[in-house]
Amino acid sequence: MNSSAERVTVNEVGPRDGLQNQDRLLSPADRVRLINSLCAAGLPSVEVGAFVSPRAVPAMAGTDEVCKALPMGDTDFSVLIPNRRGYELACDTGCDTVNLVVAASNTLNEKNIRMSTADAMAVSREVIALAQDEGVRVQAYVATAWACPFEGVVPMSEVLRLSAELLEAGAETIVLADTIGAAAPGAVRALCEQAVADFGSERLVCHFHDTRAFGVANVYAALEAGIRRFDASIGGLGGCPFAPGASGNVATEDVVLLLGQEGFATGIDLAGLLDSVELARELTGACVGGRAYNWLKLQAEKGRLQGDRVVSA
Amino acid sequence: MNSSAERVTVNEVGPRDGLQNQDRLLSPADRVRLINSLCAAGLPSVEVGAFVSPRAVPAMAGTDEVCKALPMGDTDFSVLIPNRRGYELACDTGCDTVNLVVAASNTLNEKNIRMSTADAMAVSREVIALAQDEGVRVQAYVATAWACPFEGVVPMSEVLRLSAELLEAGAETIVLADTIGAAAPGAVRALCEQAVADFGSERLVCHFHDTRAFGVANVYAALEAGIRRFDASIGGLGGCPFAPGASGNVATEDVVLLLGQEGFATGIDLAGLLDSVELARELTGACVGGRAYNWLKLQAEKGRLQGDRVVSA
């Protein structure tokens, strides 16, 4: 790793966003195995589960067990929480970061959580206030930040308004999330440029899905706009609830490869990521693996993977 | 199609660059079936074969038969030619455009065609002169325009020098080709911006492979730099001779989807492209299909594909 290279942070969401969209349900013990493997590969932060109803999202049942079995070390672990009850459950397990979600589309909030955007914002503000008192970091996801499956294109002004309110309420970072993988890079760049100008790059994260093949292109467009934090999922694990058979989150190994080649440092071990892909395959029974997976395997065989870089022989 | 949208041209290279890297050899008749399907989908230009040694590249044997059986219509057909002999064979079949290749890396020229770059340029100039006399258009590929498997990073100055000489000699367009799929979007943008400034967008084409997952991102970076012509391969058909198992050319359906969503018009029918992907699957026995293929299939079932656009229900 080039020590003078600018740092970009990759947050692994495979154990939550990825597994949540898989057919096979993994036991808490198997989810911990995957998390351990990701930590070993050097992921600086990992979303490890969600405190949601196990009836609604059976894949996330036992998130408390996962939290209790997390490895010691420098990794920052976070969990998704839908509401105050989820927040309390997360606190009981000693999580340092909770992820709140508000959709930028009123229709999606109504359908997903039976609340208007205004009501969802009120709940979020309440949870953020509690968390601030208790020293828990809150990361706020603005879901459907570019497009909603029901409303179509989401106005940039609405996304910026919600982001500003959530930051003002005390959220540490905002995740601009292309929940349905509908954003194209031009629109990504436009929103990210404005958000970086308004809030500063250190308060922003981007979250992309590869549903329409734009995952890596969107990461590049966001990078160009000054974003320096990204969510990604090992092997592209995941899918899209609105598009069966679609690709999942943008793959961690593809993003780490891109960032290295663009001259950024992630501190993540590409060879370690390949091990995690293989473990994800074994555990889920799904043929996961990002677009660059086969090529990376070949480089590994040739001894060309060195930390977050691919070197010539 | 939005009639006020700026036009971007997609040149289909699946029947040449794609099939050349497949295990199964297709008969000329089957290659013509694929070409017919691509023409039906509205591809404005198709590379249909190569006049190369059938011993060296068995997949391209019978390119003369393919050329004789091409459908009538507005499609611009081209063939790859390695040298004067290839040019003469192409002329015999009445092709309107021939594609010449010179690598920007001396080592690759030596290994591939046993000529130095200087000698390869001399041959190219000779063929271009002949073609100009005979009214045949020449498109010149500058291969390994970003990186060479033997020399590593290729200097931008060398690519620009060769491009200038080939244009001056009479080539109509230059294709900046990332032959081994090694270019990352930042480098793509840098070279394309300079090339557009030097030669004008109308003289330039970009050709990307998805080896490292950067195919679509590179198309976006080139678009940002002003490039308005792209090569692509149906279903991402192809591979990389230097990376077994790697992804092929950037997929035509992914590129057409991106261009539409970025507000450009291609005049290519997305539903027709899905038919071509299925035919390519049937003929090659390979599980081709771009990253967006499953999602596009779902949109097709919902009746949301309208020409080169995806519309809401």
Side-chain angles (χ1 to χ4, degrees), chain B residues 299-312:
Chain B
Q299 307 313 305
E301 283 159 24
K302 291 181 177 173
R304 292 183 181 170
L305 302 186
Q306 283 187 10
D308 56 8
R309 298 300 159 109
V310 182
V311 297
S312 292

Side-chain angles (χ1 to χ4, degrees), chain A residues 1 7 33 84 89 138 166 174 215 240 244 254:
Chain A
M1 193 177 86
R7 192 89 180 177
R33 274 181 72 195
R84 183 164 175 161
L89 291 169
V138 177
L166 290 161
I174 295 293
C240 176
D254 291 354

